[in-house]
């Protein structure tokens, strides 16, 4: 009953009890391990994703990894679409954390389904920010064709 817990026991318990979905992926994109939450989010049975390519659940995976410029830098929180086993596409928040274990590079992916309203709001904000230069330019042109305010006239 009072069996001593090892670090391995503790880490396994933390991994499996995490409220976030967790994937451990090698350099080739193969899933080395996933926790129960990750399997559930994507509609798989426990352990069913082990050995499969992460592209099964994150189709944009290769583009994201190629775009990553560092093997040690934690990537900022990202939003994308995940794919469930039944083919349903859904918004998901995730973060990729690169690390090394016994000299082997791996990536740990933390994920959770995105709040739809936050996801949509973020998409609109990014669209607005990417168009700010055009909006400001357009407003400056409009100022040339507007009459002065009554305060400026007198």
């Amino acid at each position: 009953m009072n069996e001593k817990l090892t670090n391995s026991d503790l880490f396994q318990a933390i991994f499996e009890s995490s409220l976030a979905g967790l994937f451990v992926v090698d350099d080739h994109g193969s899933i080395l391990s996933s926790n129960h939450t990750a399997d559930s989010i994507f509609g798989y049975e426990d352990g069913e994703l082990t050995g499969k390519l992460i592209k099964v659940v994150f189709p944009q995976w290769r583009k994201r990894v190629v775009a990553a410029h560092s093997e040690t830098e934690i990537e900022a929180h990202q939003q994308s679409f995940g794919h469930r086993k039944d083919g349903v596409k859904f918004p998901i928040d995730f973060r990729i954390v690169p690390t090394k274990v016994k000299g082997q590079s791996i990536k740990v992916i933390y994920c959770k389904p995105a709040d739809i309203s936050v996801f949509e709001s973020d998409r609109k904000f990014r669209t607005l920010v990417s168009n700010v230069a055009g909006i400001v330019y357009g407003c400056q042109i409009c100022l040339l064709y507007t009459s002065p305010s009554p305060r400026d006239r007198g």
Side-chain angles (χ1 to χ4, degrees):
M1 197 75 136
N2 289 332
E3 185 178 342
K4 184 173 175 157
L5 296 174
T6 65
N7 280 343
S8 180
D9 295 331
L10 294 173
F11 287 118
Q12 187 63 36
I14 293 166
F15 185 78
E16 287 303 326
S17 65
S18 173
L19 297 176
L22 298 173
F23 290 99
V24 179
V25 179
D26 68 13
D27 279 340
H28 304 291
S30 293
I31 299 171
L32 303 174
S33 187
S34 58
N35 70 352
H36 172 74
T37 305
D39 293 334
S40 295
I41 288 170
F42 291 94
Y44 288 85
E45 296 295 321
D46 288 351
E48 190 177 354
L49 286 167
T50 301
K52 294 189 184 303
L53 292 176
I54 193 69
K55 287 171 52 170
V56 168
V57 293
F58 289 109
Q60 299 281 326
W61 175 256
R62 187 51 52 199
K63 290 179 187 175
R64 293 193 184 283
V65 172
V66 169
H69 60 283
S70 172
E71 283 295 313
T72 57
E73 192 173 299
I74 297 172
E75 291 190 22
H77 165 264
Q78 298 179 44
Q79 293 181 327
S80 186
F81 287 94
H83 287 253
R84 293 180 43 90
K85 184 178 182 179
D86 61 9
V88 173
K89 184 176 161 182
F90 65 100
I92 191 155
D93 293 330
F94 68 97
R95 182 176 302 256
I96 302 170
V97 180
T99 191
K100 287 191 179 227
V101 176
K102 296 184 179 179
Q104 181 180 352
S105 294
I106 61 170
K107 294 186 176 25
V108 180
I109 305 167
Y110 299 82
C111 61
K112 67 180 182 69
D115 177 319
I116 301 296
S117 60
V118 172
F119 189 84
E120 186 61 20
S121 175
D122 186 62
R123 185 191 66 75
K124 288 177 181 177
F125 175 73
R126 289 175 192 274
T127 300
L128 176 65
V129 168
S130 67
N131 290 311
V132 164
I135 293 168
V136 171
Y137 179 75
C139 289
Q140 289 174 346
I141 290 174
C142 291
L143 290 175
L144 296 174
Y145 299 104
T146 58
S147 58
S149 69
R151 186 177 57 184
D152 294 337
R153 289 182 202 157

